[in-house]
Amino acid sequence: MESLLTKEELLAAVKGTQLGSAVCSFNDVQTDSRNVCAEKPCMFVPLMGEFQNGHKYIEDVLTKKASVILMNKTEYESNKAHYDELAAKYADVCFVLVENTLHALQDAAEAYVTKKCGSMILVSITGSSGKTTTKEMMVSVARAHFGEAGVAYTYGNLNSETGLPLSVFKIRGDEKIGIFEMGMNRVNEIGEISKVLKSRYGIITNIGTAHIGILGSQENIAIEKRKSLAYIPADGAAVVGADDAFADFCTEGVRGKVVKFGRNVPESVSGVRFVEDKGLFGTDFELDGLAVHLPLSGSYNYLNALSVIACAKEIGIPSNDIKKGLEAVASLSGRMEVKECKLINGKKVVLIKDCYNANLDSMMKVIDFCGELKNVGKKIFVLGDMKELGAESAKSHEAIGRRISEVKPELVYLVGPEMKAAEKLAWKGQGNISLKWFNESNAANFEKIANDINQLAGDNDVILLKGSHSMQLEKLVPLLCGTEGEAC
């Protein structure tokens, strides 16, 4: 099997120096030593972190038959005798010294994209919220048009400074389209991975407040997100929300076409006519005269679908394939999953599980969605802390408290120290809200919450679980629904 990159291509891309003269052949790239296996010749890229030095796993991956090792020059020089001994012992392994292994990984991935993706349509998707669901919608639409084998895409949540490069190394080269999500946790992370991908089409779902604790303001978030559009060519397109305050800012200087999506974009432009919000059961609309049912609930998922429609039309995907793809999309595990479940108390309820991530925007959206539901029983909220909000945390949690007081769910359980700020405002003047606050997300508190809900919930009630992933609210599901819940 041909190597992903030849030795000459790899050394040129990473500006590296080889130890010894071994051949270079690899069909897999890993940064986690646990994922290296003898079945596939693998390039191992040890990364340096604040508390971790991946170079200590080099000996381990060598025993697993890793075929190429990248290594920081400073690490090599700090223990030269040891690494020279390893290079001599594993003379058939290609050791390459680089200035920085993270940047070398990105540079190697960029070279691979240039080599393999010349005729492939490349799409990037980013935004403060909704990017993973939007990516899944776009993948489903692309599969409907290009076929299963014709689509490359982000694997799992590999959307970061290391994740995106690892994702693009999964490209075989015969796909017709590649759809890749871009996340960020620091300044210029999107700038770096945009240089790797150089997408022809780019979607920015929205500019919200996720990561405001890291970047300080929405404008700074917009500055980072718009870097995803930096390489769009004249024959490409940037897709942004028509009602987003930062839409024009994000598209300044874009060389390709600027396309806006949203509820207020005229049907004559978008081809879309809204028909009905079916609450828990999605949204009905028409696309160029075709009746479409989006199975994902929430008006924000309808907006995400509008961004996908706009992008797909620019790519040239016909409306019947867009319809087929959107109707086939399913919710992702932990992201706005809606299920009918029977509680341990025997009552049949609707469970909304949205425990993968939480920021002010996504929390507000799901609370509003539940608030607008009609013909349901009691509304029961279990809300966990929103993480990574920094100095904005108290203000953001207070905003959640105010929104709770406006929506007026019957039962509210707030979990985590940050949610104390929400408790104070949710109480104000709301004698009809039964509210309890728990300082920690632990087994004992989850047991109390589940027991309480099982005593008070009735048929047709709606239970919302929403919080940052680290709050682990999904652990409540089997406590609420027994063995049935374990399958949720």
Side-chain angles (χ1 to χ4, degrees), residues 411 413 434 436 447-457:
L411 302 173
Y413 304 87
S434 171
K436 295 181 181 179
E447 193 78 40
K448 290 175 185 174
I449 294 169
N451 287 341
D452 210 41
I453 291 174
N454 268 303
Q455 286 180 34
L456 299 171

Side-chain angles (χ1 to χ4, degrees), residues 8 16 23 25 29 112 127 137 189 196 236 238 274 277 279 292 357 363 370 381 384 400 403 406 421 460 478:
E8 293 73 23
V23 298
S25 180
V29 181
Y112 184 70
M137 288 188 198
E189 185 168 1
V196 171
F274 173 79
D277 183 345
V292 183
N357 205 351
M363 185 79 81
C370 290
F381 292 180
I400 294 301
R403 188 57 56 88
E406 293 163 1
N460 204 34

